[in-house]
Amino acid sequence: MYGMSGPYLIRGSVSLPEAELMWRFSRSSGPGGQHVNTSDSQVELRFDLARTEALPEVWKQRALERLAGRLTGGVITVRASEHRSQWRNRETAALRLAALLAEASAPPPKPRRPTRIPRGINERRLREKKQRAETKRGRSARDWG
């Protein structure tokens, strides 16, 4: 079998630690042919997020908070079964896990600084509003007579 395509980068120089990845293979549902009933092409990739030393502590805490709903005892699980070959499913699962961790450990966005409306623009808006009110008041039916 050909080798995996190297370290899967999460962000910067941090990558998925090959030694901490737990793989499980099982028979996949879906299309296949005669061969499909005998090959374990579905891949389940597990990664112990709570115990890993590969991620910086800040990232780890952030990821643990954001992925809380998907964790089982601190372990994140990713499944892949869309390809017929186990190797391609392994690739897909590893890339998915890396992307998930990258998103979950990303720093929060900078808070938005409220912008001020320039005084001139605000004054112009109020002037136009008054004018519009005058126009509408001029349309009232009480002057007809």
Side-chain angles (χ1 to χ4, degrees), residues 85-129:
S85 95
Q86 186 193 94
W87 185 73
R88 285 181 64 196
N89 279 331
R90 285 176 72 139
E91 290 281 286
T92 306
L95 288 171
R96 227 181 258 165
L97 179 63
L100 192 68
L101 289 174
E103 197 181 317
S105 63
K110 290 202 167 75
R112 182 185 165 277
R113 271 186 46 215
T115 52
R116 283 201 45 196
I117 299 170
R119 211 172 88 208
I121 288 177
N122 204 27
E123 284 172 358
R124 189 182 75 199
R125 180 182 68 86
L126 292 172
R127 234 193 347 269
E128 286 171 358
K129 206 172 144 99

Coordinates of all heavy atoms in Angstrom, one line a residue, residues 85-129:
S85 N -12.0 3.3 -2.2 CA -10.7 2.8 -1.7 C -10.4 3.3 -0.2 O -10.7 4.4 0.1 CB -9.5 3.2 -2.6 OG -8.9 4.4 -2.1
Q86 N -10.0 2.4 0.6 CA -9.7 2.7 2.0 C -8.7 3.9 2.1 O -8.8 4.8 2.9 CB -9.2 1.5 2.7 CG -9.0 1.7 4.2 CD -8.2 0.7 4.9 OE1 -7.0 0.8 5.1 NE2 -8.9 -0.4 5.3
W87 N -7.7 3.8 1.2 CA -6.6 4.8 1.3 C -7.2 6.2 1.0 O -6.9 7.2 1.8 CB -5.6 4.5 0.2 CG -4.4 5.4 0.3 CD1 -3.4 5.4 1.3 CD2 -4.1 6.5 -0.5 NE1 -2.6 6.4 1.1 CE2 -2.9 7.1 -0.1 CE3 -4.7 7.0 -1.7 CZ2 -2.3 8.2 -0.7 CZ3 -4.1 8.1 -2.3 CH2 -2.9 8.7 -1.8
R88 N -8.1 6.4 0.1 CA -8.6 7.7 -0.2 C -9.6 8.1 0.9 O -9.6 9.3 1.2 CB -9.4 7.7 -1.6 CG -8.4 7.7 -2.7 CD -9.1 7.7 -4.1 NE -9.9 8.9 -4.3 CZ -10.8 9.0 -5.2 NH1 -11.0 8.0 -6.0 NH2 -11.4 10.1 -5.4
N89 N -10.2 7.2 1.5 CA -11.1 7.5 2.7 C -10.2 8.0 3.9 O -10.6 8.9 4.6 CB -12.0 6.4 3.1 CG -13.2 6.3 2.2 OD1 -13.7 7.3 1.7 ND2 -13.7 5.1 2.0
R90 N -9.0 7.4 4.0 CA -8.1 7.8 5.1 C -7.7 9.2 4.9 O -7.6 10.0 5.8 CB -6.9 6.9 5.1 CG -7.1 5.5 5.6 CD -5.9 4.6 5.5 NE -4.9 5.1 6.5 CZ -4.1 4.2 7.2 NH1 -4.3 2.9 7.1 NH2 -3.3 4.7 8.0
E91 N -7.3 9.5 3.6 CA -6.9 10.9 3.2 C -8.0 11.9 3.6 O -7.8 12.9 4.2 CB -6.7 11.0 1.7 CG -5.4 10.2 1.3 CD -4.2 11.0 1.5 OE1 -4.0 12.0 0.8 OE2 -3.5 10.7 2.5
T92 N -9.2 11.5 3.2 CA -10.4 12.4 3.4 C -10.6 12.6 4.9 O -10.8 13.8 5.3 CB -11.7 11.8 2.8 OG1 -11.4 11.5 1.4 CG2 -12.8 12.7 2.8
A93 N -10.6 11.6 5.7 CA -10.8 11.7 7.1 C -9.8 12.5 7.8 O -10.1 13.4 8.6 CB -10.9 10.3 7.7
A94 N -8.5 12.3 7.4 CA -7.4 13.1 8.0 C -7.5 14.6 7.6 O -7.3 15.5 8.5 CB -6.1 12.5 7.6
L95 N -7.8 14.9 6.4 CA -8.0 16.3 6.0 C -9.2 16.9 6.7 O -9.1 18.1 7.1 CB -8.2 16.3 4.4 CG -6.9 16.0 3.6 CD1 -7.3 15.9 2.1 CD2 -5.9 17.1 3.8
R96 N -10.2 16.1 6.8 CA -11.4 16.7 7.5 C -11.1 17.0 8.9 O -11.6 18.0 9.5 CB -12.5 15.6 7.4 CG -13.8 16.2 7.0 CD -14.9 15.2 7.0 NE -15.2 14.7 5.6 CZ -15.8 13.6 5.3 NH1 -16.3 12.8 6.3 NH2 -16.1 13.3 4.1
L97 N -10.4 16.1 9.6 CA -10.0 16.3 11.0 C -9.1 17.6 11.1 O -9.3 18.4 12.0 CB -9.3 15.1 11.6 CG -8.9 15.2 13.0 CD1 -10.1 15.4 14.0 CD2 -8.1 14.0 13.5
A98 N -8.2 17.7 10.2 CA -7.3 18.8 10.3 C -8.0 20.1 10.1 O -7.8 21.1 10.8 CB -6.2 18.7 9.2
A99 N -9.0 20.1 9.1 CA -9.8 21.3 8.9 C -10.7 21.7 10.1 O -10.8 22.8 10.5 CB -10.7 21.1 7.6
L100 N -11.2 20.6 10.7 CA -12.1 20.8 11.9 C -11.3 21.4 13.0 O -11.8 22.4 13.6 CB -12.7 19.5 12.3 CG -13.8 19.4 13.3 CD1 -15.0 20.0 12.7 CD2 -14.0 18.0 13.7
L101 N -10.1 20.9 13.2 CA -9.3 21.4 14.3 C -8.8 22.9 14.0 O -8.7 23.7 14.9 CB -8.1 20.5 14.6 CG -8.5 19.2 15.3 CD1 -7.2 18.3 15.3 CD2 -9.1 19.4 16.6
A102 N -8.5 23.1 12.7 CA -8.1 24.5 12.4 C -9.2 25.5 12.7 O -8.9 26.5 13.2 CB -7.7 24.5 10.9
E103 N -10.4 25.1 12.3 CA -11.5 26.0 12.5 C -11.8 26.2 14.0 O -12.1 27.3 14.4 CB -12.8 25.4 11.8 CG -13.8 26.5 11.6 CD -15.0 25.9 10.9 OE1 -14.9 25.1 9.9 OE2 -16.2 26.2 11.3
A104 N -11.8 25.1 14.7 CA -12.1 25.1 16.1 C -11.1 25.9 17.0 O -11.4 26.4 18.0 CB -12.3 23.7 16.7
S105 N -9.8 25.8 16.5 CA -8.8 26.5 17.4 C -8.4 27.9 16.9 O -7.5 28.5 17.4 CB -7.5 25.6 17.4 OG -7.0 25.5 16.0
A106 N -9.1 28.3 15.9 CA -8.8 29.7 15.3 C -9.1 30.7 16.4 O -10.0 30.6 17.2 CB -9.7 29.9 14.1
P107 N -8.3 31.8 16.4 CA -8.6 32.9 17.4 C -9.9 33.5 17.1 O -10.3 33.6 16.0 CB -7.4 33.9 17.2 CG -6.9 33.5 15.8 CD -7.2 32.1 15.6
P108 N -10.6 34.0 18.1 CA -11.9 34.7 17.9 C -11.7 36.0 17.1 O -10.6 36.6 17.1 CB -12.4 35.1 19.3 CG -11.2 35.0 20.2 CD -10.2 34.1 19.5
P109 N -12.7 36.3 16.3 CA -12.5 37.5 15.4 C -12.4 38.8 16.3 O -12.9 38.8 17.4 CB -13.8 37.6 14.6 CG -14.8 36.8 15.4 CD -14.0 35.7 16.1
K110 N -11.7 39.8 15.8 CA -11.5 41.0 16.5 C -12.9 41.7 16.7 O -13.7 41.7 15.9 CB -10.6 42.0 15.7 CG -9.2 41.5 15.7 CD -8.3 42.7 15.4 CE -6.8 42.3 15.6 NZ -6.3 41.5 14.6
P111 N -13.1 42.3 17.9 CA -14.4 42.9 18.2 C -14.6 44.1 17.2 O -13.7 44.8 16.9 CB -14.4 43.4 19.6 CG -12.9 43.4 20.0 CD -12.2 42.4 19.1
R112 N -15.9 44.3 16.8 CA -16.2 45.4 15.9 C -16.2 46.7 16.6 O -16.8 46.8 17.6 CB -17.5 45.1 15.2 CG -17.9 46.1 14.2 CD -19.3 45.8 13.7 NE -19.9 47.0 13.0 CZ -20.4 48.0 13.5 NH1 -20.5 48.1 14.9 NH2 -20.8 49.0 12.8
R113 N -15.5 47.6 16.0 CA -15.5 49.0 16.6 C -16.6 49.8 15.9 O -16.6 49.9 14.7 CB -14.2 49.7 16.3 CG -13.1 49.4 17.4 CD -11.9 50.3 17.2 NE -12.2 51.7 16.9 CZ -11.4 52.4 16.1 NH1 -10.4 51.9 15.5 NH2 -11.7 53.6 15.8
P114 N -17.6 50.3 16.7 CA -18.7 51.0 16.1 C -18.2 52.3 15.4 O -17.3 53.0 16.0 CB -19.6 51.3 17.3 CG -18.8 51.2 18.5 CD -17.6 50.2 18.2
T115 N -18.7 52.5 14.2 CA -18.3 53.7 13.5 C -19.2 54.9 13.8 O -20.4 54.6 14.1 CB -18.3 53.5 12.0 OG1 -19.6 53.0 11.7 CG2 -17.3 52.5 11.6
R116 N -18.7 56.1 13.7 CA -19.6 57.2 14.0 C -20.1 57.8 12.7 O -19.3 57.9 11.8 CB -18.8 58.3 14.8 CG -18.6 57.9 16.3 CD -18.3 59.1 17.1 NE -19.2 60.2 16.8 CZ -19.0 61.5 17.2 NH1 -17.9 61.8 17.9 NH2 -19.8 62.4 16.9
I117 N -21.3 58.2 12.7 CA -21.9 58.9 11.5 C -21.4 60.3 11.5 O -21.6 61.0 12.5 CB -23.4 58.8 11.5 CG1 -23.8 57.3 11.6 CG2 -24.0 59.5 10.4 CD1 -25.3 57.1 11.8
P118 N -20.8 60.8 10.4 CA -20.3 62.2 10.4 C -21.5 63.2 10.6 O -22.6 62.9 10.2 CB -19.8 62.3 9.0 CG -19.5 61.0 8.6 CD -20.4 60.1 9.2
R119 N -21.2 64.3 11.3 CA -22.3 65.2 11.7 C -23.0 65.7 10.5 O -24.3 65.8 10.5 CB -21.7 66.3 12.5 CG -22.7 66.8 13.5 CD -22.2 67.8 14.5 NE -22.2 69.2 13.9 CZ -21.4 70.2 14.2 NH1 -20.4 70.0 15.0 NH2 -21.6 71.3 13.7
G120 N -22.3 66.1 9.5 CA -22.9 66.6 8.3 C -24.0 65.7 7.7 O -25.1 66.1 7.3
I121 N -23.7 64.4 7.6 CA -24.6 63.4 7.0 C -25.8 63.3 7.9 O -26.9 63.3 7.3 CB -23.8 62.1 6.9 CG1 -22.8 62.2 5.8 CG2 -24.8 61.0 6.6 CD1 -22.0 61.0 5.5
N122 N -25.6 63.3 9.2 CA -26.8 63.2 10.1 C -27.7 64.4 9.9 O -28.9 64.3 9.9 CB -26.3 63.0 11.5 CG -27.3 62.4 12.4 OD1 -28.2 61.6 11.9 ND2 -27.3 62.7 13.7
E123 N -27.1 65.6 9.9 CA -27.9 66.8 9.7 C -28.6 66.8 8.4 O -29.8 67.2 8.4 CB -27.0 68.1 9.8 CG -26.5 68.4 11.2 CD -25.5 69.5 11.3 OE1 -25.1 70.0 10.3 OE2 -25.1 69.8 12.5
R124 N -28.0 66.3 7.4 CA -28.7 66.3 6.1 C -29.8 65.3 6.1 O -30.9 65.6 5.6 CB -27.7 65.8 5.0 CG -28.2 66.0 3.6 CD -27.3 65.5 2.5 NE -27.2 64.0 2.5 CZ -26.3 63.3 2.0 NH1 -25.2 63.9 1.5 NH2 -26.3 62.0 2.0
R125 N -29.7 64.2 6.8 CA -30.8 63.3 6.9 C -31.9 63.9 7.6 O -33.1 63.8 7.2 CB -30.3 62.0 7.7 CG -31.3 60.9 7.9 CD -30.8 59.8 8.7 NE -30.5 60.2 10.1 CZ -31.4 60.2 11.1 NH1 -32.6 59.8 10.8 NH2 -31.0 60.5 12.3
L126 N -31.7 64.6 8.7 CA -32.8 65.2 9.5 C -33.5 66.3 8.6 O -34.7 66.5 8.7 CB -32.2 65.8 10.8 CG -31.8 64.7 11.8 CD1 -31.1 65.4 13.0 CD2 -32.9 63.9 12.3
R127 N -32.7 67.1 7.9 CA -33.2 68.1 7.0 C -34.2 67.5 6.0 O -35.3 68.0 5.8 CB -32.1 68.9 6.3 CG -32.1 70.4 6.5 CD -31.2 71.2 5.6 NE -30.2 70.5 4.8 CZ -29.0 70.2 5.2 NH1 -28.6 70.6 6.4 NH2 -28.1 69.6 4.4
E128 N -33.7 66.4 5.3 CA -34.5 65.8 4.3 C -35.8 65.2 4.9 O -36.9 65.2 4.3 CB -33.7 64.7 3.6 CG -32.7 65.3 2.6 CD -31.7 64.3 2.1 OE1 -31.8 63.1 2.4 OE2 -30.9 64.7 1.2
K129 N -35.7 64.7 6.2 CA -36.8 64.1 6.9 C -37.9 65.2 7.1 O -39.1 64.9 6.9 CB -36.3 63.5 8.2 CG -37.1 62.4 8.8 CD -36.3 61.8 10.0 CE -37.2 61.4 11.1 NZ -37.4 60.0 11.1

